Amino acid sequence: MMAWASLCATFAALTAIGLSMDRHQEQMLGRELGADAARAWRAAGWLALPLAAAPCLAAWGASVGAAAWLGVLTGAAMGVGLLLTYAPRLLPRVAAAAVPAAAALALAA
Amino acid sequence: MDFIRRITHAQRFLPPIPAGTGLRGLVPVRGTAGMRPDGRQEGLRQAMSWAHTWSGLLLGWLLFAVFLTGTLSYVRDEITVWMKPELHASVADAGTAQRALTAMERIAPRAESWNLVLPGPREPAVSATWREPGAAPGRAGLSRALLDAGTGEPIAARETRGGDFLYRFHFELYGVPRIWARWLVGIATLCMLAAIVSGVITHKKIFADFFAFRPGKGQRSWLDAHNATAVLALPFHFMITFSGLLLLMFQLMPWGIQAAYQGDVQAYFQERRGGAQAQQRAPQARAPGQEAAPAPAGGPEMRGQGGRGDGQGRQGVPDGGMAREGRQRPGDAAAAPIPAAAMPVAAMLVHASSRWGGAAVEGVTVNRPRGRPATVELRERGSSSLAGRGASRRLLFDAASGQPLPGPDAAAPGAAAAVYNVFTSLHLGRFAGPALRWLLFLSGVAGTLMVATGLVLWVAKRLPDRRKLGRTPAGHRLVERLNVAAVAGLMVAVAAYFWLNRLLPAGLAGRADWEIRGFFLAWAACLAHAWACPHRRAWVGQLGLAAALWAALPLLNGLTGGAALPGSMARGLWSVAGFDLCALATAALLAYAAWRTGRAAPAGKAAGRTPAGTAPGPGTAAARQAPARPSPVAAEPVAARAMAGEEART
């Protein structure tokens, strides 16, 4: 359960980081955001990443949790990469849905 | 990206790179030494790119095999179970431990201890080890048996190395002296680490193109797929190569230990193990209680207060010492032997499980000095920390009354040992539950694809040159052939290994060796085929053959005595069902790859869109699609896609 919560949160965080990059903005939104918006997304994404690791650490403790999160990070990044390639417009919506999903999963566990 | 700018500035302080030459087109000939076409000086990134290309290519074929078999090692228990179909009928229930102990009384009445590994999600049968009185010390003296979980009867399973062959191959290869093989793999691992670092520096747009994958664009797509499988799983790749080096560290740099211990390396390992953790299992040992070699440091002191009367006031029996209990306690010959049937094992299991918050019991060790059961030790399944290197919680019980006895505390490992333990446990995935094991497995698949795409990229990148040249240099042809044999050929060979497991008669003398010989014969045949056939035809042929072999594995399993697919799923026998499902997924990927390779070639459809104009040369299309498939057992679409070279970012 916690692994899934972590996966959803990591997915959302990586999408936010993606939204800070010109090329990926173009893909997801069809336009480029300004420098301020890009900076805001970047900050949000990097701040969310450690938060996204929290469910793994809570469930497994520091050593196993960190390893598990590296796996989660790989899986989430692959997911973002695939969606960005084949359904870029869908990605921000999926990521937006992933945020409440992560919260619900973490609270349910 | 600032740091990259800074790095490129550093270029002018670096010595110029020597111009590469010759080897019949294999090594790039650089026009004017140290100059780029636009006249600027070669920079650090070019140097790194050069290092990355050549360290990657020369060891890439070996690294692909290491990554593929290493990834399969995450599921080696499942592979071994699949390869012993005699075990598939074993079904565990609450009475399994009791039945197994009763059977052990019949099988090994004189043994001084019995060690049982109970069935779990990964193994359906009970695996028992014991040491007959007077048997040789160490693992050689252990007797082993597999017991049916439902009946307690010994199972005569076929002789096979199972997943252990693949596991051993990934760091010791085969048929090469072990020392040399470990050196070779160690050097390849070192190059891998260098390739990871140089690859990151070389990847100009690592941040801008972070998630990018642009499918159907020839060389660009291969590059994207290579970057995506590398960058997105970078923490995993770094962890796995670095920890792999740590695991080989004692092999590669033994001098410190040899000097400190006057050449007695064994003493070092014993001291580290014993001093840091009297409790812990030796690496790869499945039967800790039996692992001979009592820890010299931890052992004697901890046993200090052991009482004489069974079950009275005994403290601190370290696991290494248990097998020797008999010699320590000659006084209690008077105690009546306890029949296994009278041991309240079921109650002990319930007690232990509730003490551990519901965690299951994996191991049962009965200590029976002079054939009389004295204590029963239960071991938790799995472990809660990496620092303890797989050490799990234990409980000690009195064999007759079933009362818990005070057990020894595990000593905490020192800081350096803890770091070593964390990294190496990560590499081995020993701690991993199913979810984590899958994540590691998929990351391993990504790594396998990264190596494969890198190999194909080398060919794809040189196609324009080749077209300009009007002929194919011998070096390019060599690389193409080795790519086919190393990537597609290995997929065929692994499938052949599984096929032979079922086709060779179960009673054949030396059948385990024949399975392995078959693996190498199939691989050699693939190399010969790659040599004889045109490049694309070789890819299509071998990918197609591999797809057919993998696809038929579940069928073969059902026809040769294994638990067939729908039934094994219904029974929850996931070790076998999971193997069959992964085989089907692998077959689907291989078939897709073969189809894309065959189709893309003549039309050059994908290439047509490439501005850079990677025309569909013989190598291109094949190269473009081929390597994509070799995802090992991979069921996962992401890596698969990446491989397939379909995703690209633009």
Side-chain angles (χ1 to χ4, degrees), chain B residues 317-536:
Chain B
V317 180
D319 99 47
M322 289 202 165
R324 304 187 318 175
E325 276 296 290
R327 270 176 274 146
Q328 305 269 332
R329 311 159 54 239
D332 38 17
I338 307 154
M343 282 188 229
V345 180
M348 295 180 203
L349 294 180
V350 171
H351 178 90
S353 191
S354 68
R355 273 279 292 276
W356 293 331
V361 174
E362 176 184 51
V364 178
T365 302
V366 180
N367 299 293
R368 30 197 333 272
R370 308 171 61 201
R372 293 157 193 277
T375 57
V376 176
E377 190 194 51
L378 301 185
R379 233 176 15 258
E380 177 193 9
R381 185 177 293 284
S383 158
S384 43
S385 164
L386 294 184
R389 199 159 204 244
S392 43
R393 290 179 284 188
R394 285 136 198 270
L395 277 178
L396 199 61
F397 294 87
D398 180 77
S401 66
Q403 289 306 306
L405 303 172
D409 294 326
V419 170
Y420 178 86
N421 287 345
V422 167
F423 268 101
T424 54
S425 302
L426 274 176
H427 188 101
L428 301 171
R430 182 173 286 133
F431 56 89
L436 195 42
R437 187 172 297 278
W438 272 108
L439 286 171
L440 289 172
F441 180 80
L442 294 185
S443 298
V445 170
T448 310
L449 296 182
M450 170 183 73
V451 178
T453 48
L455 288 172
V456 173
L457 186 56
W458 191 94
V459 173
K461 209 168 174 176
R462 279 157 186 75
L463 285 175
D465 290 352
R466 206 199 274 186
R467 215 164 295 116
K468 220 179 293 167
L469 204 61
R471 63 182 176 84
T472 304
H476 290 198
R477 214 28 215 126
L478 177 70
V479 172
E480 285 180 351
R481 286 164 166 155
L482 288 174
N483 279 356
V484 176
V487 176
L490 185 57
M491 296 307 291
V492 172
V494 172
Y497 177 62
F498 296 141
W499 271 82
L500 286 172
N501 173 257
R502 297 308 181 83
L503 294 185
L504 294 175
L508 180 71
R511 73 184 300 290
D513 289 335
W514 277 109
E515 287 175 6
I516 293 172
R517 269 173 224 150
F519 168 86
F520 286 108
L521 285 176
W523 206 358
C526 286
L527 181 61
H529 176 256
W531 222 264
C533 276
H535 188 214
R536 181 194 315 283

Side-chain angles (χ1 to χ4, degrees), chain A residues 21 23 63 67-68 78 82 86, chain B residues 207 209 386 426 638 646 650:
Chain A
M21 301 173 186
R23 178 202 299 286
S63 55
M78 293 283 179
L82 278 182
Y86 294 104
Chain B
F207 293 107
D209 282 358
L386 294 184
L426 274 176
V638 174
E646 320 313 87
T650 261

Side-chain angles (χ1 to χ4, degrees), chain A residues 3 14-15 17-18 21 23-24 27 60 63-64 67-75 77-82 84-86, chain B residues 205 207-215 228-229 232-233 235 384-386 426 431 436 439 443 446 638 641 646-648 650:
Chain A
L14 288 176
T15 307
I17 294 176
M21 301 173 186
R23 178 202 299 286
H24 300 322
Q27 284 173 293
W60 281 300
S63 55
V64 176
W69 187 64
L70 287 189
V72 166
L73 189 62
T74 303
M78 293 283 179
V80 170
L82 278 182
L84 208 45
T85 303
Y86 294 104
Chain B
K205 299 189 174 169
F207 293 107
D209 282 358
F210 200 81
F211 298 108
F213 180 78
R214 285 151 285 195
T229 46
L232 300 184
S384 43
S385 164
L386 294 184
L426 274 176
F431 56 89
L436 195 42
L439 286 171
S443 298
V638 174
R641 238 67 147 293
E646 320 313 87
E647 27 248 32
T650 261

Side-chain angles (χ1 to χ4, degrees), chain B residues 105-479:
Chain B
E105 201 157 53
R106 215 172 51 241
I107 298 168
R110 297 172 57 224
E112 298 213 320
S113 73
W114 298 327
N115 200 294
L116 304 181
V117 177
L118 298 179
R122 306 183 67 193
E123 304 97 347
V126 180
S127 126
T129 47
W130 68 92
R131 190 183 300 280
E132 292 292 350
R139 299 178 89 184
L142 288 180
S143 308
R144 298 162 192 278
L146 291 164
L147 307 179
D148 187 292
T151 64
E153 290 306 309
I155 303 174
R158 63 188 59 201
E159 184 204 340
T160 178
R161 295 284 311 280
D164 291 348
F165 163 64
L166 300 171
Y167 165 73
R168 286 269 152 193
F169 182 82
H170 105 273
F171 65 101
E172 290 182 350
L173 309 180
Y174 187 82
V176 188
R178 185 173 287 191
I179 305 281
W180 290 25
R182 288 192 177 198
W183 266 101
L184 191 59
V185 174
I187 291 168
T189 312
L190 207 56
C191 286
M192 175 83 194
L193 201 57
I196 288 177
V197 174
S198 58
V200 167
I201 295 177
T202 304
H203 187 6
K204 279 184 245 195
K205 299 189 174 169
I206 189 168
F207 293 107
D209 282 358
F210 200 81
F211 298 108
F213 180 78
R214 285 151 285 195
K217 295 190 193 278
Q219 183 195 329
R220 172 88 252 169
S221 302
W222 281 114
L223 182 60
D224 282 348
H226 185 58
N227 288 342
T229 46
V231 171
L232 300 184
L234 193 60
F236 172 83
H237 297 324
F238 187 80
M239 179 275 281
I240 208 74
T241 37
F242 184 68
S243 56
L245 272 183
L246 279 184
L247 283 169
L248 290 168
M249 167 172 84
F250 300 112
Q251 183 78 53
L252 302 183
M253 285 197 256
W255 308 291
I257 296 169
Q258 279 173 358
Y261 287 78
Q262 279 88 44
D264 187 0
V265 176
Q266 222 40 49
Y268 162 79
F269 283 109
Q270 282 193 3
E271 188 162 312
R272 203 184 57 157
R273 210 153 52 219
Q277 283 190 270
Q279 283 307 299
Q280 134 197 326
R281 340 179 180 190
Q284 282 142 47
R286 304 206 84 181
Q290 310 270 350
E291 260 313 295
E301 294 94 59
M302 295 188 67
R303 200 191 335 264
Q305 344 222 344
R308 292 275 143 133
D310 281 346
Q312 311 276 348
R314 291 163 35 99
Q315 299 179 5
V317 180
D319 99 47
M322 289 202 165
R324 304 187 318 175
E325 276 296 290
R327 270 176 274 146
Q328 305 269 332
R329 311 159 54 239
D332 38 17
I338 307 154
M343 282 188 229
V345 180
M348 295 180 203
L349 294 180
V350 171
H351 178 90
S353 191
S354 68
R355 273 279 292 276
W356 293 331
V361 174
E362 176 184 51
V364 178
T365 302
V366 180
N367 299 293
R368 30 197 333 272
R370 308 171 61 201
R372 293 157 193 277
T375 57
V376 176
E377 190 194 51
L378 301 185
R379 233 176 15 258
E380 177 193 9
R381 185 177 293 284
S383 158
S384 43
S385 164
L386 294 184
R389 199 159 204 244
S392 43
R393 290 179 284 188
R394 285 136 198 270
L395 277 178
L396 199 61
F397 294 87
D398 180 77
S401 66
Q403 289 306 306
L405 303 172
D409 294 326
V419 170
Y420 178 86
N421 287 345
V422 167
F423 268 101
T424 54
S425 302
L426 274 176
H427 188 101
L428 301 171
R430 182 173 286 133
F431 56 89
L436 195 42
R437 187 172 297 278
W438 272 108
L439 286 171
L440 289 172
F441 180 80
L442 294 185
S443 298
V445 170
T448 310
L449 296 182
M450 170 183 73
V451 178
T453 48
L455 288 172
V456 173
L457 186 56
W458 191 94
V459 173
K461 209 168 174 176
R462 279 157 186 75
L463 285 175
D465 290 352
R466 206 199 274 186
R467 215 164 295 116
K468 220 179 293 167
L469 204 61
R471 63 182 176 84
T472 304
H476 290 198
R477 214 28 215 126
L478 177 70
V479 172

Side-chain angles (χ1 to χ4, degrees), chain B residues 1 5 9 55 83 90 103 109 142 199 207 244 252 285 369 465 484 509 540:
Chain B
M1 278 137 288
R5 217 170 300 125
H9 273 304
S55 66
M83 292 177 79
S90 168
L142 288 180
F207 293 107
L252 302 183
D465 290 352
V484 176
V540 175

